[in-house]
């Protein structure tokens, strides 16, 4: 049984002021001996342009094949929300989230797709992964269409 008293889950927790201050919690994977895909979709992700200070919007899709750990979803929500006042380019936000999750979770595989809405008339989609997905899993399409006025 996992000791949940140290988790943000089930407790009043304010949004962190920045991704650096945000705490991501992990819990043991009860099926660590089985390859499967867990998917998180954040359809209302926001950050701030570091040059103009204007908001940027994206759909994030995070797929991972857990190893020993699962990310606790409330802490992930708080972490992603901490980007609302964070100034960074699309590429930085997307890759930094992927790397932080990969370091925390030690997954067998992780990929993140950032489908960013246009800035200056050009949508920027950013994709990052840890390596090759295990051959034993079904990895579905992300479900986000290429940009055509999403």
């Amino acid at each position: 049984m996992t000791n949940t008293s140290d988790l943000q889950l089930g407790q009043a927790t304010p949004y962190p002021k920045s991704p650096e201050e945000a705490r991501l919690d992990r819990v043991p994977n009860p099926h660590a001996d089985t390859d499967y895909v867990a998917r998180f979709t954040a359809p209302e992700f926001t950050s701030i342009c570091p040059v103009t200070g204007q908001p940027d919007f994206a759909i994030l899709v995070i797929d991972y094949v857990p190893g020993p750990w699962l990310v606790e979803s409330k802490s992930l929500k708080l972490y992603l929300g901490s980007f609302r006042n964070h100034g960074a380019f699309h590429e930085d936000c997307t890759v930094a989230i992927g790397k932080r999750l990969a370091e925390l979770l030690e997954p067998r595989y992780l990929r993140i797709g950032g489908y960013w809405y246009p800035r200056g008339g050009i949508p920027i989609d950013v994709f990052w992964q840890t390596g090759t997905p295990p051959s034993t899993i079904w990895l579905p399409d992300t479900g986000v269409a290429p940009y055509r006025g999403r």
Side-chain angles (χ1 to χ4, degrees):
M1 186 80 183
T2 301
N3 180 0
T4 59
S5 65
D6 294 333
L7 301 178
Q8 299 170 88
L9 179 64
Q11 300 181 42
T13 309
Y15 270 98
K17 294 180 181 171
S18 71
E20 296 78 26
E21 291 180 20
R23 187 177 104 203
L24 276 168
D25 293 333
R26 65 185 187 182
V27 296
N29 178 5
H31 298 282
D33 62 339
T34 303
D35 285 343
Y36 63 95
V37 176
R39 171 173 286 173
F40 289 94
T41 304
E44 298 176 346
F45 182 82
T46 59
S47 65
I48 300 293
C49 173
V51 176
T52 66
Q54 295 296 308
D56 288 318
F57 304 91
I59 299 169
L60 295 184
V61 179
I62 302 164
D63 290 319
Y64 74 106
V65 177
W69 304 104
L70 303 174
V71 67
E72 192 285 307
S73 61
K74 178 181 178 182
S75 75
L76 179 62
K77 179 181 89 169
L78 292 168
Y79 172 61
L80 296 178
S82 74
F83 281 83
R84 288 185 177 150
N85 295 313
H86 179 69
F89 291 113
H90 303 335
E91 297 87 347
D92 185 21
C93 288
T94 306
V95 174
I97 291 166
K99 285 182 172 181
R100 182 150 177 204
L101 287 169
E103 183 179 331
L104 174 77
L105 302 176
E106 304 168 28
R108 291 186 181 95
Y109 172 77
L110 183 142
R111 76 174 180 183
I112 182 170
Y115 298 86
W116 293 84
Y117 286 82
R119 179 195 294 164
I122 300 173
I124 300 172
D125 294 339
V126 181
F127 307 99
W128 182 83
Q129 66 185 29
T130 58
T132 304
S135 62
T136 58
I137 61 150
W138 171 53
L139 191 60
D141 181 81
T142 62
V144 181
Y147 190 79
R148 284 186 293 212
R150 284 192 187 114

